[in-house]
Amino acid sequence: MPDSLITRKFSVPELSQKILDMASTGVYRESIFEALQPVATKKQIREAIAHAKRFGLGSVASLRDPELGTYYQLDRHKYQSLQHLLHDPACVGKDGELTQRLTNANQTIGHMLIAAGSFGGLFGIFGVLCWVSGWHQVGVGLLGAAVSALVLWQFQRQIAQNLER
């Protein structure tokens, strides 16, 4: 292949997939770097190795070589159970970043629950006040909005509970 051709750089999930494929038969760290050096930087390969560890890439301490480095093998059971998440953008990045994103998502869901519940309660209170004041049509409209907001709140709450499991 001529040197003038530009080779495509792979993303972290694509590199991780290649590393996991190599680890299915066992591979040394230095061999990973040699194989992927034409398509990725060392930093990208290190990130891909860290990413692949979440999906079943494991090191075998007894087979560590002073020149070739860590020996990696694939935990097939873990890989098969998590394989569908390998290319998920939420799972890319460092563990600290992933933890921060999950924390932010949980906080956002909490804020959504508070907002939906609050609007439902406020619409209900104002609906009853309007009904008592003689503004029946406005009261009925606000009570309908309250029911809608509370149904949305209940739906969001069930989703949040499912995410916690």
PDB file of all heavy atoms in Angstrom, residues 134-150:
ATOM      1  N   GLY A 134     -66.088  29.801  40.869  1.00  0.00           N
ATOM      2  CA  GLY A 134     -67.121  29.927  39.859  1.00  0.00           C
ATOM      3  C   GLY A 134     -66.594  29.896  38.435  1.00  0.00           C
ATOM      4  O   GLY A 134     -67.370  30.002  37.487  1.00  0.00           O
ATOM      5  N   TRP A 135     -65.334  29.758  38.268  1.00  0.00           N
ATOM      6  CA  TRP A 135     -64.737  29.666  36.925  1.00  0.00           C
ATOM      7  C   TRP A 135     -64.634  28.183  36.556  1.00  0.00           C
ATOM      8  O   TRP A 135     -63.562  27.589  36.547  1.00  0.00           O
ATOM      9  CB  TRP A 135     -63.358  30.314  36.889  1.00  0.00           C
ATOM     10  CG  TRP A 135     -63.349  31.789  37.145  1.00  0.00           C
ATOM     11  CD1 TRP A 135     -64.414  32.608  37.333  1.00  0.00           C
ATOM     12  CD2 TRP A 135     -62.197  32.610  37.234  1.00  0.00           C
ATOM     13  NE1 TRP A 135     -64.013  33.886  37.545  1.00  0.00           N
ATOM     14  CE2 TRP A 135     -62.641  33.922  37.486  1.00  0.00           C
ATOM     15  CE3 TRP A 135     -60.836  32.389  37.138  1.00  0.00           C
ATOM     16  CZ2 TRP A 135     -61.779  34.989  37.638  1.00  0.00           C
ATOM     17  CZ3 TRP A 135     -59.971  33.453  37.290  1.00  0.00           C
ATOM     18  CH2 TRP A 135     -60.443  34.741  37.518  1.00  0.00           C
ATOM     19  N   HIS A 136     -65.770  27.621  36.265  1.00  0.00           N
ATOM     20  CA  HIS A 136     -65.855  26.172  36.075  1.00  0.00           C
ATOM     21  C   HIS A 136     -65.041  25.671  34.883  1.00  0.00           C
ATOM     22  O   HIS A 136     -64.364  24.641  34.989  1.00  0.00           O
ATOM     23  CB  HIS A 136     -67.319  25.739  35.932  1.00  0.00           C
ATOM     24  CG  HIS A 136     -68.131  26.030  37.151  1.00  0.00           C
ATOM     25  ND1 HIS A 136     -67.943  25.380  38.343  1.00  0.00           N
ATOM     26  CD2 HIS A 136     -69.134  26.926  37.366  1.00  0.00           C
ATOM     27  CE1 HIS A 136     -68.772  25.840  39.246  1.00  0.00           C
ATOM     28  NE2 HIS A 136     -69.521  26.797  38.681  1.00  0.00           N
ATOM     29  N   GLN A 137     -65.092  26.365  33.771  1.00  0.00           N
ATOM     30  CA  GLN A 137     -64.358  25.898  32.589  1.00  0.00           C
ATOM     31  C   GLN A 137     -62.851  25.950  32.820  1.00  0.00           C
ATOM     32  O   GLN A 137     -62.120  25.021  32.445  1.00  0.00           O
ATOM     33  CB  GLN A 137     -64.732  26.728  31.362  1.00  0.00           C
ATOM     34  CG  GLN A 137     -66.132  26.450  30.873  1.00  0.00           C
ATOM     35  CD  GLN A 137     -66.495  27.297  29.668  1.00  0.00           C
ATOM     36  OE1 GLN A 137     -65.946  28.365  29.474  1.00  0.00           O
ATOM     37  NE2 GLN A 137     -67.430  26.794  28.872  1.00  0.00           N
ATOM     38  N   VAL A 138     -62.389  27.029  33.413  1.00  0.00           N
ATOM     39  CA  VAL A 138     -60.952  27.138  33.714  1.00  0.00           C
ATOM     40  C   VAL A 138     -60.562  26.080  34.736  1.00  0.00           C
ATOM     41  O   VAL A 138     -59.513  25.429  34.622  1.00  0.00           O
ATOM     42  CB  VAL A 138     -60.604  28.560  34.218  1.00  0.00           C
ATOM     43  CG1 VAL A 138     -59.148  28.627  34.662  1.00  0.00           C
ATOM     44  CG2 VAL A 138     -60.891  29.601  33.159  1.00  0.00           C
ATOM     45  N   GLY A 139     -61.425  25.876  35.736  1.00  0.00           N
ATOM     46  CA  GLY A 139     -61.157  24.864  36.755  1.00  0.00           C
ATOM     47  C   GLY A 139     -61.046  23.472  36.177  1.00  0.00           C
ATOM     48  O   GLY A 139     -60.140  22.699  36.514  1.00  0.00           O
ATOM     49  N   VAL A 140     -61.962  23.136  35.274  1.00  0.00           N
ATOM     50  CA  VAL A 140     -61.935  21.817  34.631  1.00  0.00           C
ATOM     51  C   VAL A 140     -60.671  21.677  33.782  1.00  0.00           C
ATOM     52  O   VAL A 140     -60.015  20.625  33.790  1.00  0.00           O
ATOM     53  CB  VAL A 140     -63.206  21.587  33.779  1.00  0.00           C
ATOM     54  CG1 VAL A 140     -63.061  20.363  32.892  1.00  0.00           C
ATOM     55  CG2 VAL A 140     -64.414  21.442  34.680  1.00  0.00           C
ATOM     56  N   GLY A 141     -60.303  22.723  33.076  1.00  0.00           N
ATOM     57  CA  GLY A 141     -59.070  22.689  32.264  1.00  0.00           C
ATOM     58  C   GLY A 141     -57.839  22.471  33.121  1.00  0.00           C
ATOM     59  O   GLY A 141     -56.963  21.668  32.784  1.00  0.00           O
ATOM     60  N   LEU A 142     -57.770  23.189  34.244  1.00  0.00           N
ATOM     61  CA  LEU A 142     -56.610  23.033  35.136  1.00  0.00           C
ATOM     62  C   LEU A 142     -56.596  21.661  35.810  1.00  0.00           C
ATOM     63  O   LEU A 142     -55.525  21.070  36.000  1.00  0.00           O
ATOM     64  CB  LEU A 142     -56.589  24.149  36.183  1.00  0.00           C
ATOM     65  CG  LEU A 142     -56.194  25.531  35.655  1.00  0.00           C
ATOM     66  CD1 LEU A 142     -56.393  26.591  36.723  1.00  0.00           C
ATOM     67  CD2 LEU A 142     -54.748  25.521  35.178  1.00  0.00           C
ATOM     68  N   LEU A 143     -57.759  21.147  36.154  1.00  0.00           N
ATOM     69  CA  LEU A 143     -57.806  19.800  36.738  1.00  0.00           C
ATOM     70  C   LEU A 143     -57.386  18.747  35.715  1.00  0.00           C
ATOM     71  O   LEU A 143     -56.713  17.769  36.056  1.00  0.00           O
ATOM     72  CB  LEU A 143     -59.193  19.500  37.295  1.00  0.00           C
ATOM     73  CG  LEU A 143     -59.553  20.264  38.577  1.00  0.00           C
ATOM     74  CD1 LEU A 143     -61.014  20.035  38.941  1.00  0.00           C
ATOM     75  CD2 LEU A 143     -58.641  19.845  39.721  1.00  0.00           C
ATOM     76  N   GLY A 144     -57.766  18.946  34.459  1.00  0.00           N
ATOM     77  CA  GLY A 144     -57.314  18.045  33.388  1.00  0.00           C
ATOM     78  C   GLY A 144     -55.804  18.103  33.221  1.00  0.00           C
ATOM     79  O   GLY A 144     -55.144  17.071  33.036  1.00  0.00           O
ATOM     80  N   ALA A 145     -55.260  19.314  33.302  1.00  0.00           N
ATOM     81  CA  ALA A 145     -53.803  19.469  33.218  1.00  0.00           C
ATOM     82  C   ALA A 145     -53.129  18.804  34.411  1.00  0.00           C
ATOM     83  O   ALA A 145     -52.056  18.192  34.278  1.00  0.00           O
ATOM     84  CB  ALA A 145     -53.433  20.946  33.149  1.00  0.00           C
ATOM     85  N   ALA A 146     -53.758  18.896  35.580  1.00  0.00           N
ATOM     86  CA  ALA A 146     -53.199  18.258  36.778  1.00  0.00           C
ATOM     87  C   ALA A 146     -53.153  16.745  36.613  1.00  0.00           C
ATOM     88  O   ALA A 146     -52.141  16.098  36.932  1.00  0.00           O
ATOM     89  CB  ALA A 146     -54.020  18.625  38.006  1.00  0.00           C
ATOM     90  N   VAL A 147     -54.232  16.186  36.097  1.00  0.00           N
ATOM     91  CA  VAL A 147     -54.272  14.727  35.885  1.00  0.00           C
ATOM     92  C   VAL A 147     -53.192  14.327  34.879  1.00  0.00           C
ATOM     93  O   VAL A 147     -52.464  13.349  35.082  1.00  0.00           O
ATOM     94  CB  VAL A 147     -55.673  14.280  35.426  1.00  0.00           C
ATOM     95  CG1 VAL A 147     -55.657  12.839  34.937  1.00  0.00           C
ATOM     96  CG2 VAL A 147     -56.671  14.447  36.552  1.00  0.00           C
ATOM     97  N   SER A 148     -53.053  15.099  33.799  1.00  0.00           N
ATOM     98  CA  SER A 148     -52.031  14.792  32.785  1.00  0.00           C
ATOM     99  C   SER A 148     -50.630  14.852  33.381  1.00  0.00           C
ATOM    100  O   SER A 148     -49.793  13.974  33.137  1.00  0.00           O
ATOM    101  CB  SER A 148     -52.131  15.769  31.612  1.00  0.00           C
ATOM    102  OG  SER A 148     -53.358  15.636  30.963  1.00  0.00           O
ATOM    103  N   ALA A 149     -50.359  15.898  34.154  1.00  0.00           N
ATOM    104  CA  ALA A 149     -49.027  16.052  34.753  1.00  0.00           C
ATOM    105  C   ALA A 149     -48.749  14.931  35.754  1.00  0.00           C
ATOM    106  O   ALA A 149     -47.624  14.419  35.830  1.00  0.00           O
ATOM    107  CB  ALA A 149     -48.905  17.420  35.427  1.00  0.00           C
ATOM    108  N   LEU A 150     -49.758  14.540  36.507  1.00  0.00           N
ATOM    109  CA  LEU A 150     -49.551  13.465  37.486  1.00  0.00           C
ATOM    110  C   LEU A 150     -49.388  12.104  36.814  1.00  0.00           C
ATOM    111  O   LEU A 150     -48.635  11.254  37.310  1.00  0.00           O
ATOM    112  CB  LEU A 150     -50.682  13.454  38.503  1.00  0.00           C
ATOM    113  CG  LEU A 150     -50.686  14.681  39.448  1.00  0.00           C
ATOM    114  CD1 LEU A 150     -51.921  14.677  40.326  1.00  0.00           C
ATOM    115  CD2 LEU A 150     -49.416  14.722  40.283  1.00  0.00           C
TER     116      LEU A 150
END
